[in-house]
Amino acid sequence: MLNKYARGFFGRLFSPVAKLLLRWGISPDVVTVVGTIGVCLGALIFYPMGELFWGTVVITVFVFADMVDGLMARMQDRSSRWGSFLDSTLDRLADASVFSGVAIWFFTGGANTAIAVVSLACLVLGMLVSYARAKAESLGCTADVGIAERSERLVAVLVFTGFTGLGLPPVVLLAVLLLLAAASFVTVLQRIGTVYRQVRAAN
């Protein structure tokens, strides 16, 4: 849903930034790498310190690099398999950093083991969601189905982690993470079922 309705708006918003970076001679790959480094540092430095709100602000700023690099590639008409591979791989690293940062804080100073454990569950299940699609495509199948795409997962964890840093009761974040874990699990099952039907139909 976010991919469908938000990308058009943010695409128009960040097009001037993408054009400026291209005029400066910066490549989309550089933006991808810098964006990922920023997300990782924001998540693994600010979150473990208990700075949930400011950590979220820093992460959000760099998350938009994921959109800018795609705009830059399309403007240059040079979308490539390498760029797609790099972007997808570094997305996994960024996601892992966000959920790991949340888990580290709540295992330590945040003193909420339940949130920490569920955050790690979201990390693992999110990786499975991505792996299921990638493996399906490597086998010549498609598995772009499911109720928990990356955009929805990332927005949910960032919004509610940030508000928790502003005083939102941690139980709300726990509830959101539980829903994310459940949705990710359902998405994995949906993708397994989709690939199974495709393979059976081809035999």
Side-chain angles (χ1 to χ4, degrees):
M1 184 173 63
L2 288 174
N3 285 336
K4 181 178 179 181
Y5 295 106
R7 281 194 177 275
F9 169 76
F10 285 111
R12 292 188 296 272
L13 181 65
F14 290 112
S15 286
V17 176
K19 292 176 181 177
L20 179 62
L21 292 174
L22 288 173
R23 283 201 298 270
W24 287 348
I26 299 173
S27 75
D29 289 348
V30 170
V31 175
T32 300
V33 172
V34 170
T36 301
I37 291 173
V39 170
C40 292
L41 292 178
L44 297 177
I45 293 177
F46 285 90
Y47 280 178
M49 292 170 56
E51 296 290 345
L52 302 184
F53 174 73
W54 289 112
T56 297
V57 171
V58 171
I59 292 166
T60 300
V61 169
F62 284 102
V63 160
F64 285 121
D66 187 48
M67 183 166 292
V68 173
D69 62 4
L71 287 171
M72 293 170 68
R74 287 191 291 275
M75 288 175 180
Q76 290 185 316
D77 194 24
R78 53 171 287 189
S79 296
S80 65
R81 289 187 296 173
W82 161 249
S84 177
F85 169 80
L86 180 66
D87 188 59
S88 180
T89 301
L90 294 185
D91 280 350
R92 306 289 83 74
L93 178 60
D95 293 354
S97 298
V98 170
F99 285 106
S100 295
V102 172
I104 291 170
W105 168 245
F106 284 103
F107 269 133
T108 55
N112 194 317
T113 303
I115 291 179
V117 170
V118 178
S119 181
L120 292 180
C122 287
L123 189 161
V124 173
L125 290 166
M127 295 297 175
L128 281 175
V129 168
S130 300
Y131 176 79
R133 178 172 179 171
K135 184 62 178 178
E137 292 175 350
S138 74
L139 297 173
C141 301
T142 58
D144 54 349
V145 298
I147 60 174
E149 292 287 351
R150 177 180 184 254
S151 299
E152 284 82 354
R153 297 196 307 269
L154 192 59
V155 168
V157 68
L158 289 177
V159 167
F160 286 95
T161 299
F163 279 127
T164 300
L166 291 177
L168 186 72
V171 67
V172 178
L173 177 60
L174 175 60
V176 170
L177 291 175
L178 284 170
L179 288 173
L180 282 181
S184 297
F185 181 70
V186 170
T187 298
V188 172
L189 294 181
Q190 287 177 304
R191 293 187 171 183
I192 290 173
T194 297
V195 174
Y196 176 77
R197 289 189 293 273
Q198 292 176 44
V199 171
R200 286 294 299 271
N203 292 334

